[in-house]
Amino acid sequence: MVGDVDLLATISRQAGLIDTLVAQVSAQQTVNDLTTALQCRAQQNGFDASIRLPTQGANDWEHFVMNDTHFLIVANNYDGSVYDTNSELFKWDGTTFTSAQLILTHGARDWVHFEINDVHYLAVANYKNGDGDQAINSEVFAWDGHKFESFQLIPTVGARGLADFVIEDVGYLAIANHDNVTSVNLNSEVFRWNGTAFEAFQTIPTKGAIALEYFMIGGTHFLGVANHNNGATYEVKSEVLQWDGTKFTSSQ
């Protein structure tokens, strides 16, 4: 059984048909039977219209707009027997979401969408494969005009979270590495766009990291790290890193 997960994505439509999307993964179903309810708000006082989409151990939704069309991609983590399973991209057809593409992932935990030089990309955090190996590649996909194709493999270890951001017109992708079976005290990593692909830029010591959040305050760039545990205790400090002009340094 899986635990309750509430995943919220906000989407806006010019026609005003959809304001909010909520995905609820039910703990009352087995992974193989899992469906996700998407509830579209038609009134201010509640959710009424419901769309149900099949998922498998869903961990995350990512919403994005491409060529004036809304898309949702789900991170399917586990199908009840293996972690090597397809995550699924859905496309809004004006009335509902329909399947647009299946993408093989490995214990997928998180998706992010971003654009570089007018090209649309999706990145997935792969946690583990069917053999239980966590030292596997996460992956970046690029839109070819018809579908997302594999663009770049990025070495990760038990990847759990992603953050994409731009600093001084340069794109970055940060990945939270959670564990490698024997230890949770690992380096998470920031990758920088070099004009053609992402390259390793900075390692950040983390403790069972499960999420990253980029934000700005008054023109200053920050990266927050959610540390889950250090192998001995869950009472560990998470950290906010600050950009010093060349790299992220410990801030708080």
Side-chain angles (χ1 to χ4, degrees):
M1 307 292 286
V2 295
D4 287 335
V5 180
D6 291 323
L7 303 163
L8 175 65
T10 301
I11 60 179
S12 60
R13 289 183 50 80
Q14 292 179 349
L17 296 177
I18 301 177
D19 294 325
T20 302
L21 177 148
V22 175
Q24 296 177 323
V25 180
S26 171
Q28 305 306 313
Q29 298 167 290
T30 65
V31 174
N32 286 329
D33 295 335
L34 212 55
T35 59
T36 300
L38 303 180
Q39 298 182 325
C40 305
R41 190 180 70 188
Q43 307 177 38
Q44 290 185 350
N45 61 352
F47 293 87
D48 48 18
S50 180
I51 304 168
R52 298 183 69 83
L53 300 175
T55 57
Q56 297 176 316
N59 270 231
D60 180 59
W61 282 112
E62 177 76 353
H63 163 262
F64 59 97
V65 179
M66 187 169 58
N67 301 324
D68 297 322
T69 300
H70 290 272
F71 291 85
L72 279 173
I73 189 162
V74 63
N76 283 329
N77 175 261
Y78 183 64
D79 73 355
S81 59
V82 296
Y83 287 93
D84 301 317
T85 187
N86 287 321
S87 290
E88 192 163 5
L89 177 69
F90 296 92
K91 178 181 179 180
W92 181 253
D93 66 6
T95 303
T96 190
F97 284 100
T98 60
S99 181
Q101 185 178 352
L102 297 176
I103 299 176
L104 180 63
T105 53
H106 309 281
R109 290 286 190 159
D110 195 18
W111 282 102
V112 292
H113 165 267
F114 53 92
E115 291 181 61
I116 297 177
N117 298 328
D118 297 323
V119 178
H120 292 267
Y121 295 90
L122 284 170
V124 63
N126 285 322
Y127 180 67
K128 68 166 66 173
N129 63 20
D131 296 325
D133 188 1
Q134 289 168 274
I136 60 173
N137 293 316
S138 290
E139 195 163 1
V140 179
F141 300 85
W143 181 252
D144 68 2
H146 304 283
K147 61 185 180 302
F148 283 98
E149 291 279 7
S150 180
F151 174 78
Q152 183 178 359
L153 299 175
I154 297 180
T156 53
V157 183
R160 291 281 296 267
L162 302 168
D164 67 286
F165 49 93
V166 176
I167 298 177
E168 297 177 354
D169 298 322
V170 178
Y172 292 83
L173 181 65
I175 302 178
N177 289 321
H178 180 265
D179 73 285
N180 65 359
V181 179
T182 60
S183 177
V184 295
N185 299 308
L186 305 175
N187 286 328
S188 292
E189 196 159 4
V190 180
F191 295 83
R192 179 172 59 185
W193 183 257
N194 66 12
T196 57
F198 287 101
E199 61 182 10
F201 171 71
Q202 181 180 357
T203 57
I204 299 171
T206 52
K207 298 176 176 62
I210 61 172
L212 297 163
E213 182 71 15
Y214 164 81
F215 58 97
M216 287 183 67
I217 299 176
T220 301
H221 303 272
F222 295 91
L223 186 64
V225 180
N227 287 321
H228 186 255
N229 74 94
N230 65 7
T233 180
Y234 291 91
E235 294 184 3
V236 296
K237 291 183 178 180
S238 292
E239 193 167 10
V240 177
L241 304 168
Q242 182 175 333
W243 183 256
D244 69 2
T246 59
K247 64 184 183 302
F248 285 103
T249 60
S250 184
S251 169
Q252 185 176 356

